[in-house]
Amino acid sequence: MRYRILGGTGIEVSTHCLGTMMFGAVGNPDHEECARIIHAALDHGINFVDTADMYSAGESETIVGKALKGRRDDVVLATKVHFQMGEGRNRGGNSRRWIVREVEDSLRRLDTDWIDLYQVHRPDHGTDIEETLSVLGDLVRAGKIRAFGCSTFPAREIVEAHHVAERRALPRFRTEQPPYSILARGIETDVLPVARKYGMGVLTWSPLASGFLSGKYRLGGAVDLTSGRAALTPARFDPAIAGNVAKLEAVEQLVELADSIGCTLPELAVAFPLAHPAVTSVITGPRTMEQLEALVKGSGLVLDDATLDRIDEIVEPGRNLYQPDGAWRPPSLTDVAQRRRALGDRSAA
């Protein structure tokens, strides 16, 4: 396993990061099996573990905390805050009020005195970024967290956060955690160059593109739209939709490429983000021991220039063949009122 410095913090992390979103009720509810997977990952040299408060409503953090008993000092532990936790107002977002409360809950669930990397899971336009940076800086000074970053922020908001930090003499985001895969290369246009400009570490997620690069979905094959991810977002997987056909056509070419260099499609997919000079570590989220072993098996894969050139031919740099599941979309797109003038104000005369 190789190691890289995380965003100028001096902290060395493995180039594979163990994601734990699938630990708990949403994925694998067997706490003991999840602990064995975590221990196996550590034994393979992975020293970077990423979780979030909202994964299985806190259960994932609890599992991670139990599994790291006696090994905490050897692990760089990352978690996140932002999403709604429980019912009621002011139980989510990026406000000082919520972050101060929720970091304590995460520390309790993780059974630790400190968090190495505390990440803001999504932007929050109801909270001034100065408010968020200020409280995160206070948590660093209090010793509750060692560094902090953002997750799935668009480039313009990363830039704004750095400008505010500089103007207000506040600590800055040291990392960004975006979705990135062969089928979703949009961040190559702006997010990754911005991260490099500011010396940020980058932890990428969803290298298997919501399962499209797992080998499960193939052109001409049947797709069960009643279970798994396909049941949640059938429009992303329905082979009758033209956009999905384009993804499946790319998959067929990628399978052929993987075969030609003697690896599996998932191994090719996980190796791809690490070839980018802005990427520090790629997050993989196994649900079973078999999935972990398959991912670790390909950790030594090196993609040469010819292979990367062929990938560029299949999916051109900067192009998204689909919008990654869970990727943040700005209110300027999702809020109709921000895209359309009032009916009486739309004409030129």
Side-chain angles (χ1 to χ4, degrees):
M1 190 63 60
R2 290 186 176 181
Y3 302 86
R4 295 173 178 170
I5 299 297
L6 183 65
T9 64
I11 301 171
E12 290 190 52
V13 297
S14 50
T15 51
H16 276 197
C17 176
L18 180 67
T20 64
M21 186 175 71
M22 299 308 295
F23 294 167
V26 170
N28 188 341
D30 187 329
H31 287 208
E32 292 186 1
E33 183 182 2
C34 292
R36 287 193 293 270
I37 294 171
I38 293 172
H39 295 159
L42 301 183
D43 293 341
H44 280 297
I46 294 174
N47 77 333
F48 199 9
V49 178
D50 178 78
T51 185
D53 58 355
M54 56 84 67
Y55 293 166
S56 293
E59 187 181 3
S60 172
E61 286 187 327
T62 299
I63 291 171
V64 170
K66 290 192 295 186
L68 294 184
K69 277 285 190 180
R71 305 185 72 166
R72 175 66 185 90
D73 287 342
D74 299 322
V75 174
V76 178
L77 180 57
T79 191
K80 312 180 198 72
V81 63
H82 167 79
F83 285 106
Q84 182 79 12
M85 294 290 289
E87 297 180 359
R89 296 181 182 275
N90 298 311
R91 296 186 59 83
N94 303 343
S95 69
R96 172 177 288 272
R97 185 182 194 276
W98 175 241
I99 289 175
V100 167
R101 158 70 186 276
E102 185 58 6
V103 72
E104 297 294 344
D105 286 345
S106 284
L107 288 167
R108 173 180 50 80
R109 288 188 292 260
L110 290 165
D111 195 16
T112 186
D113 294 328
W114 82 98
I115 294 163
D116 294 292
L117 178 63
Y118 199 46
Q119 300 159 101
V120 179
H121 214 155
R122 292 292 188 277
D124 174 10
H125 288 146
T127 303
D128 194 310
I129 189 64
E130 180 179 351
E131 174 89 354
T132 303
L133 294 174
S134 175
V135 64
L136 292 171
D138 288 346
L139 293 179
V140 171
R141 286 185 286 273
K144 295 183 185 296
I145 65 176
R146 300 294 187 252
F148 59 85
C150 50
S151 174
T152 320
F153 271 47
R156 64 184 180 278
E157 301 210 20
I158 296 173
V159 171
E160 180 189 2
H162 280 278
H163 283 181
V164 169
E166 183 177 2
R167 289 198 306 271
R168 301 300 188 188
L170 296 169
R172 62 186 180 88
F173 287 135
R174 304 309 297 255
T175 62
E176 160 61 11
Q177 185 181 134
Y180 185 38
S181 72
I182 296 174
L183 299 184
R185 302 183 62 174
I187 65 168
E188 293 173 344
T189 302
D190 47 22
V191 170
L192 293 182
V194 164
R196 290 193 76 187
K197 175 181 176 64
Y198 287 107
M200 299 173 72
V202 176
L203 303 63
T204 65
W205 53 272
S206 195
L208 299 186
S210 300
F212 272 97
L213 297 178
S214 69
K216 178 179 180 180
Y217 304 104
R218 301 292 297 273
L219 189 66
V223 177
D224 181 5
L225 299 176
T226 65
S227 64
R229 289 180 181 268
L232 297 174
T233 54
R236 290 182 180 273
F237 296 87
D238 188 347
I241 297 175
N244 294 331
V245 173
K247 287 182 279 187
L248 294 172
E249 289 175 343
V251 166
E252 293 304 310
Q253 296 179 72
L254 292 168
V255 168
E256 182 179 331
L257 176 60
D259 289 342
S260 72
I261 63 173
C263 72
T264 66
L265 179 59
E267 289 170 355
L268 178 74
V270 173
F272 170 76
L274 290 173
H276 197 289
V279 174
T280 309
S281 186
V282 58
I283 300 172
T284 54
R287 182 176 53 83
T288 66
M289 185 69 76
E290 290 74 20
Q291 291 174 348
L292 172 68
E293 294 297 338
L295 291 167
V296 172
K297 180 183 175 182
S299 61
L301 177 63
V302 176
L303 304 184
D304 60 20
D305 288 342
T307 301
L308 292 171
D309 288 344
R310 178 59 185 139
I311 290 174
D312 288 348
E313 293 172 356
I314 297 169
V315 182
E316 63 184 289
R319 182 185 180 194
N320 277 347
L321 280 184
Y322 83 114
Q323 182 76 3
D325 287 342
W328 183 81
R329 300 189 70 203
S332 58
L333 296 180
T334 59
D335 183 0
V336 174
Q338 294 192 36
R339 293 188 286 108
R340 300 175 184 174
R341 291 180 180 272
L343 185 61
D345 192 32
R346 294 177 189 173
S347 65

